[in-house]
Amino acid sequence: MLDQTQAQVAPSPLYICDAAQPRRRAAAIEDLATGLSRWRLPAALARLDIRNRYRGSVLGPFWLTLSTAVMVGGLGLLYSSLFKLPLADYLPFLAVSLIVWNMIAQIVADACISLTSAEGIIRQLALPYSVHITRCVMRNALIAAHSLPLILVVFLACGVLPGPEALLALPGLALVAVNAFAVALFLGMLCARFRDIAPIVASAMQLAFFLSPVLWKPELLGERQVWLPLNPFYVVMETVRGPLVEGGASALVWLSAVLYTALACAVAFAFFVRFRGRIAFWV
Amino acid sequence: MPYVSVQNLTIEFPLYHLGARSLKKRILARSPLRLRQDASNRVVVSALRELDFRIGPGERVALIGGNGAGKTTLLRTLAGIYQPVSGRLEVQGLIGALIDPAAGMDQESTGRENIILRGLFRGLDEATSESMAEEIGAFSGLGEFLDVPVRSYSAGMQVRLSFAIATVMEPEVLLMDEWFLAGDADFRQRAREKLERLVEHADILVLASHDMGVVREWCTRAIRLEAGRIVADGPVEAVLAA
């Protein structure tokens, strides 16, 4: 009844798949375009993911908010005395750092299962693969939305409020979202093919946590600070953290963050173009 | 006009986790027929090998053959899930696939929520999907259970719901696995009527089945697959007699 009306409006679709002329790039672009234009589906699936993950739990996703709050409080007390910084100065920095870092770490960990977790759907329904990637990004955006308001609470408690430049954190968040999509696409495919990648990524992220200025302020590096823009985690995090606690991020940080994002997108797209047809066999 | 055209179609499933060389050799030595090594030294299962056929409008084709002959793989390939490693596939027409009744079903959601979800899977918007809920609810006979999570359904109720959801469509090319025979007796009668209507409206039916009674009744042409190859293709009686 419903599909019939569609069929009458549009001429009936022609599906061609020729191994001799794969038209890989066109197929990949079409996949991304259809997947993104049908955002309602991943949005619904992401909501279900959150609901099912916390089914029967009293606090639900607010457990993450609570554990982040406890971590910010505990680490704030410890490190402000280790670094000999006044708590009211250090705490806003640490709160923003930890919350943004947790968001990035969650995205990277979840990116590894963006396709394997949708195995049941991939093998049964012909859908654009970008639907599963968008689902992964949206699910993490929903989780992050439960912790981000904590930043405001800490700001109010410490009595420091950023100026209007804080709005620049929004393009920063958009940059994080674009990176999340690229990483979910790339790692999702890589981890579907090579099942050893996920544990490697997990240990790399732990190392990156200590090597990036999350707990410590970049100033502590002294002269070697100039090398920091080479750290992709630092620059992407700084586009959100800078506007909130340091009165804005430097132009160099933005440039580096945009370059890294473009690189991530290019690598993910190239990989997707080449191996899109194999995903159904990998998951 | 809808048609399905398959030329020299080959599908191979790579077996990725056969790392050890000796194990690989042993496996290859023991089954020389369908397992082989491809150009990059991977062990692959040839699921479908060099298939050639064309289905024109009005044809009702049965795919028959033993377990593992490649029937479901061929259905999934026609539906666009697997991409061939070699050969060419053309499908003209709106494809409707009834392969796995539970595909995309969320166990924690209610029947109604699943109906809307399935609508989204097919690219409809929420309002249109919502309007299907009543029709599907009435057809599946779930009544008040429509607003209860699917995980609490009995197996029969789940089949009825997925059948009702999956068949709200009017495809031109209908790809169907034989699961539709499940369900309780009262429902089976209604399911038949529904399927008959669906098949009547579709221009092409491709049905994978083990049941020769079903094949004789629904189909006009049969393709017998054996180990991923077509061994017979023609009118149902001729193929079944061979």
Side-chain angles (χ1 to χ4, degrees):
Chain A
M1 288 118 262
L2 298 154
D3 288 350
Q4 192 186 33
T5 51
Q6 283 182 346
Q8 280 165 355
V9 175
S12 48
L14 175 62
Y15 169 69
I16 298 183
C17 190
D18 191 337
Q21 300 159 337
R23 291 171 46 251
R24 291 201 184 102
R25 182 188 296 266
I29 292 172
E30 196 190 321
D31 183 309
L32 291 170
T34 352
L36 291 176
S37 69
R38 289 175 58 182
W39 58 272
R40 287 165 188 282
L41 171 62
L45 290 170
R47 275 199 305 274
L48 281 180
D49 283 337
I50 303 292
R51 198 188 70 184
N52 293 350
R53 192 177 297 179
Y54 296 102
R55 193 173 52 96
S57 148
V58 179
L59 288 185
F62 289 102
W63 275 113
L64 291 173
T65 322
L66 196 65
S67 71
T68 315
V70 171
M71 197 164 162
V72 167
L75 290 183
L77 285 172
L78 175 66
Y79 279 81
S80 67
S81 64
L82 282 181
F83 293 142
K84 308 207 170 22
L85 292 166
L87 189 62
D89 277 357
Y90 181 64
L91 201 59
F93 168 84
L94 181 76
V96 177
S97 286
L98 269 183
I99 289 167
V100 174
W101 179 266
N102 278 348
M103 174 170 75
I104 294 175
Q106 287 264 4
I107 290 170
V108 173
D110 208 25
C112 292
I113 55 164
S114 64
L115 289 171
T116 43
S117 63
E119 176 198 11
I121 297 174
I122 289 177
R123 285 155 82 105
Q124 302 298 349
L125 300 171
L127 275 181
Y129 293 112
S130 48
V131 163
H132 311 298
I133 307 299
T134 316
R135 171 189 190 173
C136 172
V137 173
M138 285 180 165
R139 155 169 91 204
N140 282 287
L142 283 175
I143 292 176
H146 285 89
S147 304
L148 288 174
L150 208 59
I151 294 176
L152 191 66
V153 175
V154 172
F155 280 170
L156 289 175
C158 295
V160 284
L161 272 180
E165 76 276 3
L167 286 177
L168 278 174
L170 293 178
L173 282 174
L175 209 61
V176 173
V178 174
N179 271 298
F181 191 87
V183 169
L185 187 58
F186 179 67
L187 282 183
M189 291 176 73
L190 205 61
C191 294
R193 172 65 186 84
F194 300 103
R195 301 300 163 107
D196 297 309
I197 301 290
I200 296 175
V201 168
S203 18
M205 285 307 287
Q206 200 158 30
L207 189 64
F209 172 73
F210 291 106
L211 293 185
S212 307
V214 180
L215 295 176
W216 42 276
K217 292 198 172 191
E219 293 90 88
L220 289 177
L221 277 184
E223 283 167 17
R224 272 167 289 180
Q225 232 190 104
V226 290
W227 297 104
L228 264 183
L230 288 178
N231 177 344
F233 295 106
Y234 165 71
V235 286
V236 171
M237 183 170 68
E238 191 63 14
T239 56
V240 181
R241 183 175 67 186
L244 289 177
V245 288
E246 282 146 22
S250 71
L252 184 64
V253 162
W254 275 101
L255 179 70
S256 171
V258 169
L259 281 180
Y260 271 122
T261 308
L263 186 70
C265 291
V267 170
F269 182 69
F271 209 71
F272 188 54
V273 167
R274 175 64 188 82
F275 294 110
R276 186 177 157 276
R278 306 300 302 159
I279 294 177
F281 297 97
W282 286 350
V283 293
Chain B
M1 286 301 265
Y3 68 88
V4 175
S5 158
V6 168
Q7 292 159 23
N8 199 26
L9 180 90
T10 298
I11 294 272
E12 286 177 344
F13 285 90
L15 299 179
Y16 285 116
H17 307 292
L18 294 177
R21 256 169 207 287
S22 57
L23 178 68
K24 202 164 167 179
K25 269 190 198 141
R26 209 166 70 210
I27 289 175
L28 286 172
R30 284 176 64 180
S31 70
L33 288 175
R34 293 187 80 188
L35 292 170
R36 60 173 198 87
Q37 244 169 338
D38 73 356
S40 45
N41 271 337
R42 285 175 311 192
V43 178
V44 294
V45 185
S46 306
L48 298 175
R49 295 189 278 186
E50 293 152 12
L51 303 191
D52 267 299
F53 61 86
R54 189 185 166 87
I55 304 176
E59 285 200 273
R60 306 272 175 262
V61 181
L63 300 176
I64 55 178
N67 281 323
K71 301 186 298 288
T72 307
T73 305
L74 181 53
L75 280 188
R76 286 191 184 152
T77 309
L78 293 179
I81 294 168
Y82 293 135
Q83 288 191 7
V85 284
S86 71
R88 183 180 169 89
L89 165 68
E90 269 177 54
V91 180
Q92 166 92 64
L94 195 67
I95 302 172
L98 304 180
I99 297 176
D100 177 1
M105 189 83 95
D106 181 59
Q107 292 287 315
E108 311 295 340
S109 300
T110 66
R112 191 182 299 277
E113 286 166 338
N114 267 303
I115 293 169
I116 295 169
L117 191 62
R118 180 61 70 95
L120 290 173
F121 268 119
R122 298 218 327 256
L124 309 172
D125 59 31
E126 276 104 336
T128 324
S129 319
E130 194 116 31
S131 66
M132 303 188 313
E134 285 316 311
E135 185 196 334
I136 293 174
F139 177 74
S140 60
L142 285 171
E144 67 211 34
F145 278 94
L146 202 55
D147 290 305
V148 169
V150 169
R151 68 153 51 236
S152 61
Y153 285 18
S154 70
M157 286 161 79
Q158 290 209 18
V159 170
R160 281 192 331 223
L161 178 67
S162 29
F163 181 89
I165 294 180
T167 50
V168 181
M169 56 176 179
E170 293 213 333
E172 293 164 301
V173 179
L174 179 61
L175 310 171
M176 191 154 68
D177 219 338
E178 61 175 351
W179 59 266
F180 60 88
L181 287 169
D184 52 50
D186 158 57
F187 182 72
R188 203 174 298 176
Q189 187 50 40
R190 272 185 297 155
R192 262 200 87 84
E193 288 161 16
K194 179 108 189 178
L195 277 177
E196 271 164 16
R197 249 177 298 146
L198 203 60
V199 168
E200 238 167 70
H201 284 107
D203 288 296
I204 291 177
L205 168 73
V206 182
L207 167 72
S209 182
H210 283 290
D211 185 335
M212 295 312 146
V214 170
V215 170
R216 282 198 175 90
E217 197 182 338
W218 293 77
C219 301
T220 54
R221 172 180 168 191
I223 295 179
R224 185 188 289 279
L225 291 170
E226 232 167 68
R229 283 187 203 282
I230 295 181
V231 291
D233 181 356
V236 168
E237 287 311 323
V239 172
L240 292 190

